Amino acid sequence: MRLLIVDDEPPALAKLRHLLQRDAGISWLGEAGDAAQALRMLAEQPVDAVLLDIQMPGQSGLELALQLPPGVVCAFSTAYDEYAVQAFELNAVDYLLKPYTPERLAECLRRLRARLGQRQQARGSLLSALQQLQPVAAHWLVENRRGALVKLPMSELQWVAAADNYIELHAPPECFLERRSLADFLAHPAAQGLFVRVHRSHAVNAAHIRAIAPLPHGEAQLTLSCGAQLRVSRSYRSQLAPAG
């Protein structure tokens, strides 16, 4: 589970970090001191769940909960019990009242995972339906941040990067996240013949390669039509020969 904790009190963040780092099921743990920082991190990182303080400078945790991306579940961690009704009206998974025990936090994580399991089951059904639809001629079907399906033209997709259990689909200025491995994407018929793997972590649309510059130790740096620059690792350097 990829978990973001949001709290404006450094001691509270430190305590949560200490307890959560013991949990082997947390693959990524992010920290934010306020809602604005949390929203920036959510825009940049795939996150499964958020543990939110309520009273913070700027936007409250309740206001932040309303802006979470689709599919992200949340629980609250707060010293105030008067917001519990509002929290559960926002479909919060749990309401962790400070001071809490490690056992109570573990129960909160269990509830978050259970809710994620339900959502992933529903998402799995959607993805199964999508896989039956893919490929749509010259397009890739992907969910946008509002949960709507988008037909993304493959010609506009410039590179794909691995991000833990997700891939980032870069069609500048937009970037879409999909729960799929990079290897699975490259093996898909819609991607074959278009994308070249140039690094363990990313592949590029060969039609968008504009320049390749050699680097020491057999590596290279390529520039795409959008101006993005990506490193080509030595082990994948030969893959670029057919692309020029």
Side-chain angles (χ1 to χ4, degrees):
M1 178 168 64
R2 294 175 60 84
L3 180 66
L4 174 65
I5 52 179
V6 187
D7 200 310
D8 65 315
E9 297 180 2
L13 275 176
K15 179 180 179 181
L16 275 172
R17 184 194 320 120
H18 175 71
L19 294 173
L20 294 169
Q21 284 176 339
R22 301 176 183 176
D23 192 312
I26 296 177
S27 60
W28 178 87
L29 181 61
E31 299 176 17
D34 56 38
Q37 184 183 9
L39 289 171
R40 288 195 297 273
M41 295 180 73
L42 287 164
E44 296 169 355
Q45 295 279 345
V47 172
D48 297 312
V50 183
L51 196 54
L52 290 170
D53 188 15
I54 290 185
Q55 289 200 338
M56 299 184 292
Q59 295 186 70
S60 71
L62 295 168
E63 292 172 305
L64 175 57
L66 289 169
Q67 303 172 69
L68 294 178
V72 175
V73 299
C74 76
F76 289 95
S77 169
T78 177
Y80 305 92
D81 60 4
E82 60 262 40
Y83 302 107
V85 172
Q86 286 177 267
F88 285 106
E89 285 176 348
L90 291 170
N91 208 23
V93 174
D94 203 355
Y95 196 87
L96 199 59
L97 201 57
K98 299 174 182 175
Y100 47 80
T101 63
E103 291 76 16
R104 183 64 183 84
L105 178 61
E107 172 61 18
C108 178
L109 295 176
R110 187 195 66 75
R111 294 179 185 182
L112 286 169
R113 289 191 174 102
R115 180 69 64 85
L116 281 171
Q118 295 169 1
R119 296 225 172 154
Q120 286 171 357
Q121 186 175 10
R123 182 180 173 83
S125 299
L126 173 61
L127 288 177
S128 177
L130 278 177
Q131 286 169 349
Q132 292 178 20
L133 290 172
Q134 301 266 28
V136 177
H139 292 78
W140 189 266
L141 286 174
V142 64
E143 277 186 283
N144 65 16
R145 292 186 180 277
R146 292 183 293 276
L149 281 181
V150 174
K151 279 178 67 178
L152 176 63
M154 296 297 278
S155 60
E156 295 179 8
L157 185 53
Q158 297 207 14
W159 84 96
V160 180
D164 289 334
N165 296 324
Y166 294 80
I167 53 173
E168 299 171 351
L169 299 149
H170 291 270
E174 296 189 271
C175 177
F176 302 89
L177 286 174
E178 181 172 319
R179 194 175 181 89
R180 181 188 291 261
S181 70
L182 181 58
D184 185 36
F185 172 83
L186 291 172
H188 198 282
Q192 291 181 354
L194 293 177
F195 284 82
V196 181
R197 189 164 193 162
V198 297
H199 191 276
R200 180 173 59 85
S201 301
H202 49 258
V204 300
N205 185 335
H208 283 281
I209 297 175
R210 292 295 176 267
I212 304 174
L215 294 175
H217 311 297
E219 295 190 328
Q221 179 172 281
L222 59 81
T223 303
L224 300 181
S225 56
C226 65
Q229 293 186 319
L230 299 174
R231 184 171 292 265
V232 181
S233 64
R234 184 175 58 183
S235 57
Y236 289 99
R237 180 68 179 84
S238 62
Q239 302 295 317
L240 283 177

